[in-house]
Amino acid sequence: MTTTTATYTVTGMTCGHCATSVREEVGKLDGVTDIAVDVPTGLVTITSTAPVDEGAVRSAVDEAGYTVQS
């Protein structure tokens, strides 16, 4: 199976709960198979079965209460 990986920088995360919130919202997107969140750097790496729409990722992160850095 082919997978796609995309990394975003998310601002505002300060703790494990923040990371969990982002993982839960992004995990609802179609095709997402894994999400790695590094709180100190703000890096969120998404692995999926097909490319995930950046707008959908931004909306999911926003729903979690954070912002994808431009």
Side-chain angles (χ1 to χ4, degrees):
M1 177 168 66
T2 303
T3 58
T4 303
T5 303
T7 301
Y8 299 89
T9 301
V10 175
T11 57
M13 296 187 299
T14 58
C15 64
H17 181 266
C18 300
T20 299
S21 296
V22 169
R23 265 195 296 275
E24 286 177 357
E25 291 301 326
V26 174
K28 294 177 185 176
L29 300 176
D30 286 343
V32 172
T33 58
D34 187 55
I35 304 141
V37 179
D38 184 41
V39 174
T41 63
L43 293 180
V44 176
T45 303
I46 302 166
T47 304
S48 56
T49 55
V52 178
D53 178 66
E54 184 176 333
V57 172
R58 287 180 178 276
S59 292
V61 170
D62 186 60
E63 184 68 28
Y66 308 98
T67 306
V68 173
Q69 193 172 357
S70 298

